[in-house]
Amino acid sequence: MKSTITIPKILLPKADVDKSKWSVIACDQFTSQPSYWEQVDKLVAQAPSTLRIIFPEVYLEGENKRERIKAINDNMHKYLHSDIFEEFEGFILVERTTPDNQKRLGLVIAIDLEDYEYTEQNNALIKATEKTVVERLPARIEVRKGACLESPHIMMLMDDKKDKIIEALYARRNELELAYDFNLNMGGGSIKGYKIKNCKPVIDAIHNLLDSETLVEKYGSDKPILFAVGDGNHSLATAKECWNNIKKTLSGDAIYSHPARYALCELVNLHDESLKFEPIHRAVFGVGEEFVEYMGIELAKLGGNSDVKVVYGDKEYSWRVSANASDAIADIQHLMDEYNKTHKEMVIDYIHGDEHLLSVAKEKNAVAVFMPCLEKDGLFDYVVRRGVLPRKSFSMGHAEDKRYYLECRVIL
């Protein structure tokens, strides 16, 4: 059987590289707070850093996009050919301590992009959980198609209810070689990594999740699903599109061996106790009370029996929505999209955290919509039955809990 998982050659920063400056948070965080990224820039200064090989989305609308992308690709080549990496072939067991002192376990692996699809209905073993916004892909594609390195903020989920795989590795962590151990910058907590050299038993255990009886027991169907994308779907979709273009130029064994066919990610058990689903709120710019009233009226027509809070200026409102969080999220997003068709000045930003939302709304005169929270236990079942959720339906933890860039891999 062809494996969905491959054993990557991982590049890790050497011992003399300041890892607290090397490692920075995912590019799709703090998108309405340039001050956060300005602080990171000052902190990093001239030190080697993944900040210099990513495109923070807060700058996507900037005028110097091409210059920034060229600098990113140039820095990748500079880092690759400098003496800052050591190579390790295997997996990395990750122990992340979040700012609230929770421990989240993960496993850095590489997956075959041929087994991933982000379309709404598909038979792929790796599925997107949320709708992909294709308009967000071009800038990412421009970076990746000229890139020699990838560094993931992708977090992949597996439904291992019996906690047999990652947790079993962690139980014998003292037998493993330490890969890194340091504090993350900007209040991100801390992180440890352990090298996994004997990967085949891990791969076999993961593929056992595709046993038909196990699938029927979980979802009432033997329709196969191995992983669902938790964070970083647009980055994975970018990798997929780039691979689709590259493979057109290949033949023979090169189709299987080309490094761009694979993508590095961190695999996390959906049932990890520290993994909390958080809502992703909406900050709506370019609208006012008319929008708030429109949404309230249209949502009320759907006959829901729950409420979401909305704040505009110094007033607080309430919209009536379904008690089913996934349906409520879908209804709100659909009506916002409908309103946007006739109000082109309207812009939606997706905000993590209540305080961040209120701060952005107050600073920029936006409508703050406090979205409902999705229950994580129903995620795989929903994806199997109905396909993807609306874009930005949930977040795994707060903004500071997100994956920091750390490990790299050559994709030339």
Side-chain angles (χ1 to χ4, degrees):
M1 171 178 149
K2 181 186 79 69
S3 177
T4 300
I5 305 162
T6 192
I7 303 170
K9 293 180 179 179
I10 295 174
L11 298 177
L12 295 168
K14 288 185 174 180
D16 59 349
V17 174
D18 186 340
K19 295 176 183 61
S20 65
K21 294 182 179 180
W22 170 259
S23 190
V24 303
I25 206 163
C27 66
D28 58 352
Q29 301 304 303
F30 301 102
T31 53
S32 292
Q33 294 171 278
S35 60
Y36 175 93
W37 292 99
E38 289 164 6
Q39 283 182 263
V40 176
D41 184 70
K42 289 179 182 177
L43 172 71
V44 166
Q46 301 303 312
S49 176
T50 52
L51 179 64
R52 308 306 179 199
I53 59 173
I54 65 165
F55 198 146
E57 290 190 4
V58 69
Y59 302 123
L60 276 180
E61 301 305 318
E63 296 180 357
N64 61 340
K65 191 179 297 184
R66 287 189 176 278
E67 291 83 355
R68 185 178 286 273
I69 290 172
K70 183 180 185 305
I72 289 168
N73 291 150
D74 288 348
N75 286 329
M76 286 182 179
H77 284 277
K78 174 185 172 183
Y79 289 165
L80 181 59
H81 298 292
S82 301
D83 190 29
I84 67 169
F85 289 124
E86 61 177 12
E87 185 177 89
F88 166 68
E89 186 169 5
F91 299 155
I92 301 287
L93 174 66
V94 177
E95 177 189 341
R96 170 75 180 276
T97 302
T98 57
D100 58 358
N101 211 33
Q102 296 287 311
K103 279 189 169 50
R104 184 180 71 223
L105 304 180
L107 191 67
V108 177
I109 63 172
I111 58 98
D112 188 342
L113 289 166
E114 288 291 315
D115 288 332
Y116 159 73
E117 292 291 344
Y118 60 83
T119 52
E120 294 194 24
Q121 294 286 347
N122 61 71
N123 294 316
L125 292 178
I126 303 172
K127 301 180 188 294
T129 51
E130 299 175 311
K131 184 176 180 180
T132 301
V133 184
V134 294
E135 293 82 5
R136 292 178 60 196
L137 298 183
R140 292 171 180 259
I141 289 171
E142 282 299 311
V143 173
R144 190 173 177 98
K145 74 180 184 181
C148 60
L149 295 174
E150 69 171 357
S151 185
H153 75 262
I154 299 159
M155 288 180 62
M156 200 75 71
L157 299 174
M158 68 174 171
D159 190 2
D160 180 17
K161 288 186 176 180
K162 297 179 180 178
D163 298 342
K164 285 185 174 180
I165 301 172
I166 296 177
E167 293 77 8
L169 291 171
Y170 184 69
R172 60 180 186 85
R173 63 192 179 279
N174 291 335
E175 304 170 17
L176 304 173
E177 181 184 350
L178 193 66
Y180 49 74
D181 180 3
F182 64 99
N183 291 324
L184 296 163
N185 59 44
M186 301 296 291
S190 62
I191 192 166
K192 289 183 182 180
Y194 303 88
K195 296 180 179 180
I196 306 291
K197 298 176 182 178
N198 184 17
C199 298
K200 187 178 183 304
V202 182
I203 294 172
D204 291 343
I206 293 171
H207 279 133
N208 285 340
L209 296 174
L210 289 172
D211 174 74
S212 59
E213 291 184 7
T214 302
L215 292 169
V216 170
E217 179 185 344
K218 289 178 181 177
Y219 316 121
S221 165
D222 62 357
K223 184 177 180 181
I225 179 172
L226 187 60
F227 303 144
V229 184
D231 276 340
N233 184 64
H234 286 85
S235 290
L236 200 59
T238 297
K240 175 76 173 184
E241 289 305 309
C242 287
W243 166 240
N244 284 342
N245 290 328
I246 290 170
K247 73 179 179 182
K248 295 173 185 175
T249 69
L250 305 175
S251 60
D253 290 344
I255 292 176
Y256 300 94
S257 61
H258 197 289
R261 175 175 173 143
Y262 306 93
L264 209 60
C265 63
E266 181 180 344
L267 181 62
V268 178
N269 186 3
L270 177 69
H271 303 283
D272 188 306
E273 290 185 2
S274 72
L275 191 64
K276 308 295 183 186
F277 276 19
E278 303 284 347
I280 301 182
H281 302 309
R282 271 57 169 165
V284 189
F285 306 98
V287 298
E289 289 186 4
E290 180 184 335
F291 165 76
V292 177
E293 291 174 5
Y294 162 84
M295 290 291 295
I297 292 169
E298 295 302 313
L299 286 167
K301 293 177 182 178
L302 301 178
N305 55 0
S306 187
D307 297 286
V308 295
K309 184 173 75 171
V310 179
V311 175
Y312 179 58
D314 57 358
K315 293 182 180 179
E316 184 174 312
Y317 304 83
S318 181
W319 292 345
R320 199 72 169 162
V321 297
S322 171
N324 182 302
S326 59
D327 289 336
I329 294 165
D331 292 341
I332 292 170
Q333 189 63 57
H334 171 71
L335 286 170
M336 284 185 177
D337 291 343
E338 287 298 304
Y339 191 85
N340 200 186
K341 289 178 182 178
T342 55
H343 297 77
K344 299 300 183 183
E345 70 280 6
M346 170 182 164
V347 176
I348 304 171
D349 196 7
Y350 302 92
I351 306 293
H352 301 263
D354 294 3
E355 294 305 316
H356 290 157
L357 175 65
L358 288 174
S359 174
V360 169
K362 182 178 180 181
E363 180 183 344
K364 300 187 178 181
N365 193 36
V367 175
V369 182
F370 292 78
M371 298 292 280
C373 189
L374 189 72
E375 292 295 328
K376 72 176 185 178
D377 286 348
L379 179 64
F380 271 65
D381 180 63
Y382 182 97
V383 171
V384 169
R385 289 186 296 105
R386 298 180 58 184
V388 298
L389 288 153
R391 64 188 182 275
K392 296 291 185 180
S393 290
F394 69 97
S395 171
M396 298 193 302
H398 299 293
E400 291 84 358
D401 301 335
K402 297 299 177 179
R403 188 168 212 281
Y404 277 56
Y405 301 101
L406 207 174
E407 300 88 354
C408 291
R409 188 177 71 93
V410 174
I411 56 172
L412 284 175

